[in-house]
Amino acid sequence: AANGLVKLSAAANTFIVPSGAVAVFPTAKGNSGTDSAPSSIKVEWQDNAGLFSEVIKVGDGQAIVRFAEGKEGNVVLDGVDNSGNIVWSWMFWVVNDTPKDITVGGKTFMDRNIGAINLDEKSELSAGVAYQYGRKDPFPSIKFGEYALRTIYDGDGQEKTISIVKTEAENNLENTIKNPSVFYNNVYVSGAKHGYSWLTTDCTTIGADLFASLWENGGKKSMYDPCPAGYKVATKADWEGVKAASTVQEIWD
């Protein structure tokens, strides 16, 4: 970064920048070389009111945006086409204590959850953001000690709520791209590999196949992987290595 300018050349669904940054980022569809070609950028939500400052430029495969001085947090930005449809969204993780690498069980991990601002386990800011498995777009984490989400705000700094919508499409993937902060859900199907699915009404066949391609993807980083450049979602085997090599007693799959 020079004079606050951060050039993000690698495509991703999440970008890490310091507070006050002016960021240039590729408007590609996730971890791919395909441009989503938005005509404008807007705020979907931010977890610190006033965190996002302005859109400076959009076009030619990239966008330039500015973040407020002295503020940290997370903001989801939507790429929007001329018809007002969301074509892709990206999360900006605005943090001054840049995440570090740690090695456990022979594997290298980021030292925190995506979106975590610090490593203080007594602080809500250490929780980061949450995801429905396989989705590229995050949701705010839960408030400590409460069965409620942390407060989020729209681009004007007004409080925003997360909608919960029943999944009604056999393949709901495109709907989730167009509605990044809608929490899709449905009814559990007995014997299904993936119940309560945001992805499909057919949890036994198409659901299992699609889930395997979204984050697992044969071990390769997928287009929908939410991790910043240089990282990917850990596999079950990676987590088992953590369990074997550390004091962690239980890994939730």
Side-chain angles (χ1 to χ4, degrees):
N3 299 321
L5 181 65
V6 179
K7 293 185 178 181
L8 302 158
S9 56
N13 287 312
T14 297
F15 299 102
I16 303 173
V17 297
S19 61
V22 174
V24 183
F25 72 97
T27 52
K29 293 183 176 182
N31 312 290
S32 75
T34 304
D35 185 19
S36 63
S39 57
S40 62
I41 300 285
K42 70 178 181 69
V43 173
E44 177 70 25
W45 62 263
Q46 52 190 331
D47 59 14
N48 188 355
L51 174 63
F52 184 75
S53 181
E54 63 174 329
V55 178
I56 298 173
K57 184 180 179 182
V58 183
D60 299 323
Q62 65 180 23
I64 306 174
V65 294
R66 186 192 307 273
F67 301 90
E69 293 282 355
K71 286 181 177 285
E72 295 179 287
N74 300 286
V75 55
V76 175
L77 297 181
D78 297 331
V80 182
D81 66 16
N82 288 323
S83 299
N85 297 312
I86 296 173
V87 292
W88 205 261
S89 302
W90 306 269
M91 189 182 91
F92 278 81
W93 180 1
V94 185
V95 57
N96 294 323
D97 176 19
T98 306
K100 311 297 190 298
D101 288 348
I102 56 173
T103 301
V104 184
K107 299 285 186 177
T108 302
F109 293 83
M110 186 182 286
D111 67 358
R112 66 194 73 187
N113 291 335
I114 295 175
I117 302 304
N118 61 41
L119 296 175
D120 179 2
E121 63 185 23
K122 296 180 180 179
S123 167
E124 287 186 352
L125 297 180
S126 69
V129 292
Y131 292 86
Q132 288 186 287
Y133 190 93
R135 288 187 71 171
K136 67 183 180 66
D137 297 307
F139 291 89
S141 60
I142 292 176
K143 290 181 179 179
F144 281 17
E146 298 181 49
Y147 194 66
L149 298 180
R150 288 189 61 214
T151 304
I152 56 172
Y153 308 88
D154 62 19
D156 296 322
Q158 301 299 308
E159 288 191 18
K160 178 171 180 168
T161 57
I162 294 294
S163 299
I164 300 176
V165 174
K166 183 179 179 181
T167 307
E168 295 184 333
E170 183 179 24
N171 186 341
N172 200 45
L173 187 57
E174 286 300 316
N175 287 332
T176 67
I177 293 170
K178 294 176 181 177
N179 301 281
S181 62
V182 170
F183 189 97
Y184 287 96
N185 205 348
N186 64 13
V187 178
Y188 177 71
V189 179
S190 178
K193 181 178 179 182
H194 299 283
Y196 300 104
S197 178
W198 61 266
L199 179 60
T200 179
T201 53
D202 179 6
C203 299
T204 56
T205 55
I206 188 172
D209 295 339
L210 277 177
F211 266 114
S213 68
L214 290 174
W215 278 8
E216 297 163 41
N217 197 37
K220 297 181 180 179
K221 189 173 183 178
S222 78
M223 182 174 168
Y224 302 96
D225 189 306
C227 295
Y231 298 89
K232 65 178 290 296
V233 172
T235 65
K236 182 178 180 181
D238 294 332
W239 287 115
E240 290 294 344
V242 170
K243 181 178 178 181
S246 72
T247 57
V248 173
Q249 297 300 307
E250 181 179 354
I251 297 294
W252 182 69
D253 178 14

